[in-house]
Amino acid sequence: MGNLIRSKRFWLIAPAVLYIGFFMAVPLGQMAYVSILERGDYGAVNWGVFSFDAYASFLFERDLMDNLMFNTDYLQIFARSFGLSAMTMVFALVLGFPTAFYISMQPQARRNFLIFLVTIPFWTNILVRNYAWMLLLRNGGLIDNGLAWLGYESGGLDILYTPYAVSIGLTYTYLPFMVLPIYASLEKLDHRLIEAAFDLGADKWRAMTRVILPLAAPGIAAGCILVFIPCLGAYVTPELLGGGKFMMIANLIGSQFGAARNWPFGAALGFVLLAFVLLSMMIYAMKFKSLPEEKL
Amino acid sequence: MKIDTSNPLWRFRGITPMAMFFFAYLYLPILVLIVLSFNENRLATIWTGFSTDWYRVALSNDDMLRAAKNSLVIAVSATVIATTAATLAALGMARQRFRGETGVAAMLVLPLLVPEIVTAIATLLFFVAIGVQLGLISVIAAHTVFCIPFAYLPIRARLDGMDPALAEAANDLYANEWQAFRRVTFPLLWPGIMSGAMLSFIISLDDFVISYFVGGAGATTLPIYIFGMIRMGITPEVNAVSALMLIISIVFVSISFLIDRIRY
Amino acid sequence: MKIRSVLLGASALAMLSMGTARADGELFFYNWSNYFPPELFEKFEAETGIKVTLDVYDSNETMLAKLQAGASGYDIAVASDYMVDVMIKDGLATEFDAKNLENFGNVAKPHDTMEYDPDRKYSVTYLWGTTGFTYDADATDGELEQSWKEFFEPREEFHGKIGALNDEVEMYNAASYYIGVPKCTEDPAEAQKVLDVLQKQKPYIAVYSSEGTIDRMSAREVTMHMQWNGAAHRTKESIPNAVFVYPKEGLTYWSDHFVVPKGAPNLENAKTFINWMMMPENAAAASNYAGYMNAVKGTEDFMDPALKADPAVNMPEEYAGLLIPGQNCSAPARDLRNRVWTKLKN
């Protein structure tokens, strides 16, 4: 019996894992190999010629006298990307949670409608959406003019091409990835549970923290992962709304496969990022695991 | 609108305005985009007058329409395959813990963790190495990979809070396992599956880097086409195509609603 | 029954995965979007019976990366000068002896030869242009010098009103022309000088972006923008007083070429196409559509008069000495350039 159940579970999980294993893990192994090869003169790599330059150059550079020097350029780019992603995640959560809660409290038919409403804007292209934001945010743009019309003379909004514009754009891009998982968790929330909490004398705060949030927790966790990590790879929004003044990780890695034609370094940067993310997830998991028990 | 006092929402004052703000935020740029698709000027940003010309231009641009069709075919296929695999995996993962679970869980979200450009080149090198003919199929295969975590996580989150006692109760009532799944687990899981599928769909529809590298001749997608316009300047033609995509999405949504109505 | 349907499905999949059948009458063309007039594809098909399928990329480098990783199936790719060099040296270009094509005699000097392909064995010029900068003469009282100085050390009225191309190569090259160091320098001290120029300029820059340069000028969001000359031409449609500057220190002259990638499935059709594009009427149609000059003699009669009259596109002879062709830099030089760019964007 135990065997049977185990094998049934195996067959449930196997397709997804084998698929990812074949189409992702194997190519990644190949890419790990690329990262320790010597770069080719014209791009690509010299197969079979090993070099660890790529990893060394993440932290060190050669100065004029050909000495190795500690170089923080790339670490700064990583730090900036992690910071912006964390900020985006928080914004998306602040906006996304109430919305998911609101949707889950609607009658069944309207719920489905609202969920579609969340995803419809994303049928348009990311470049076009960012363009629309540029028009909204620029000086003399719609928001600027709107504020002036309301009698608030901003004298130029001066927000486009700043990090603020980037976070507005990134939050926009990743909102559905926060709302939908939270909604999926909250959808089963029974109104009567909340009513019961109120009847038992709970105030709003307690009803929220004791009834609603615990139910939404798996969804919030999933949403945070789906916003935070893809956001680290954001490429277009920082370029367009940030005015291309500051690099994010994806821009850096992209340029290694682009103008720099340095595949090993690009691949190495990818693996360094992977290591960072896995590490932060492990820390998060260790911290998070001890939390629910304490609360309950 | 009638105020439903049985709905606890009214007790949480901030929620409704917040949701309204959310939808305004979501649709403001879309409004701008649609308005500008009717701009007569070649430049996307300066309004000079009303015209439907760009729709005519877009609808007669065979290359762009082919790209849009490719995008839709890829997104639908990848979504169906990824959501199916992810649903099964979530069901398998949801019961009691097992040895190596962390490893398997990490594997399921691995595609999220690797930067797109690295995945793209890696996959292309791999396809070339094993002799896969590049085309639409190779793009679908690659999209399915990164769609799996986007489908898996919402489904898993949904399952996490579900009461296993429900399926057990069904079993006790002499439902066989398939019936228990079909009548109890699946309907309960549905909001998670739908969320996961929709996220997969939009992430696939927007992908540029991976489609670009693993697509063969003739497999240009809409994002690739639009990014290729960067050098020559983007015209309202793109806005017109975006508006057409919105119409398709609305038609699609309406059909699914009709099907829902008929079913219940 | 079941097995049969599985087999049917599998064979259907297999047929799909073969991609489009490569019939004789096909041509897979690889280019930027909106860089080739769609009507011309139709005309070509009507005259030769060859159906063209367009695939697009967003930069020379992504095109290269894809071919280097082993992708094939394209009959013609459009590559800029330095990229032609890379493709030839990396064995990614097919020799097709353009000089033996019937219409090669139509090619205007100096395009009958090219630094990286002197005998034109691998390539034929499609369109060419320059990278300079444009300013709105209404935004300043003074007369600007014909120099990169105005761009890199701008006058006060242009502070915060400057757009730069978000392009590592173009920006680095322009700065190196300005201070007179070789653009492919392998000397870190020289690269440092380039970085100094760029960093000093950064506070005055409103945006680094290669997209929508015309829009930004037209909306007067910026009053000076580094631009390709074809974009400068289109900027003048809405800003009549826009001036395209040919800096005295020199400016990049770039050219895009038809190349036949390795493993092209329809080599003969590719040759037919390239030969066809060397006819004045067709070359002129491409210029009129994209706004850049072609390399074919006798196109004047077919050209858009506005394009012909614009000094930004139809360059006056006196500037010919300023043009500096694109160069394929060595790996150490590219490293320096990339490090400068990374430091600038940090």
Side-chain angles (χ1 to χ4, degrees), chain A residues 11-280:
Chain A
W11 287 111
L12 286 172
I13 301 171
V17 170
L18 290 180
Y19 194 93
I20 293 175
F22 186 68
F23 285 111
M24 185 85 198
V26 176
L28 269 189
Q30 208 175 357
M31 213 54 183
Y33 179 59
V34 165
S35 78
I36 53 165
L37 288 178
E38 194 183 82
R39 61 190 297 194
D41 289 342
Y42 305 110
V45 286
N46 294 330
W47 296 99
V49 187
F50 293 95
S51 156
F52 288 94
D53 278 1
Y55 289 94
S57 55
F58 178 67
L59 290 176
F60 300 102
E61 65 179 352
R62 288 190 188 278
D63 70 359
L64 303 183
M65 302 303 156
D66 210 31
N67 297 319
L68 277 184
M69 299 266 290
F70 190 63
N71 171 15
T72 57
D73 289 352
Y74 303 122
L75 278 178
Q76 277 177 34
I77 293 174
F78 270 60
R80 177 182 305 124
S81 297
F82 274 81
L84 254 173
S85 297
M87 203 158 84
T88 303
M89 182 182 83
V90 171
F91 286 162
L93 184 61
V94 167
L95 264 176
F97 177 78
T99 308
F101 181 48
Y102 173 84
I103 296 174
S104 72
M105 287 287 115
Q106 301 302 313
Q108 178 71 43
R110 199 182 304 160
R111 249 183 267 170
N112 285 341
F113 171 72
L114 289 173
I115 278 299
F116 277 118
L117 217 56
V118 172
T119 49
I120 283 177
F122 298 88
W123 282 64
T124 60
N125 184 266
I126 186 167
L127 217 57
V128 184
R129 293 195 299 269
N130 274 294
Y131 255 83
W133 271 113
M134 286 167 75
L135 295 184
L136 281 166
L137 294 177
R138 74 176 178 200
N139 288 346
L142 274 175
I143 293 178
D144 203 18
N145 282 337
L147 287 175
W149 186 73
L150 288 172
Y152 176 79
E153 279 300 338
S154 61
L157 203 53
D158 286 331
I159 189 171
L160 186 57
Y161 310 135
T162 66
Y164 302 107
V166 178
S167 25
I168 291 176
L170 285 176
T171 306
Y172 184 84
T173 306
Y174 294 104
L175 271 178
F177 302 96
M178 187 62 88
V179 174
L180 266 65
I182 299 181
Y183 163 77
S185 295
L186 274 179
E187 196 265 355
K188 58 186 172 263
L189 176 63
D190 193 336
H191 298 186
R192 285 168 303 181
L193 266 177
I194 307 176
E195 279 306 306
F198 285 134
D199 290 347
L200 292 170
D203 55 16
K204 281 181 225 172
W205 176 247
R206 285 181 157 239
M208 183 56 87
T209 53
R210 292 297 170 88
V211 182
I212 301 167
L213 278 180
L215 263 168
I220 292 176
C224 286
I225 292 174
L226 285 180
V227 172
F228 183 78
I229 299 175
C231 195
L232 285 173
Y235 185 92
V236 176
T237 308
E239 292 279 62
L240 290 186
L241 296 180
K245 288 178 190 160
F246 298 97
M247 267 194 193
M248 299 263 284
I249 297 172
N251 311 117
L252 177 64
I253 298 179
S255 81
Q256 302 312 319
F257 289 99
R261 281 182 255 150
N262 193 346
W263 286 21
F265 189 43
L269 285 171
F271 286 105
V272 171
L273 176 63
L274 182 64
F276 269 111
V277 173
L278 284 177
L279 206 69
S280 55

Side-chain angles (χ1 to χ4, degrees), chain C residues 27 29 36 44 76 258 269-277:
Chain C
L27 179 78
F29 186 51
F36 194 93
F44 179 69
I76 296 176
F258 296 122
N269 292 350
K271 282 183 175 167
T272 308
F273 181 85
I274 293 171
N275 188 47
W276 189 80
M277 277 308 293

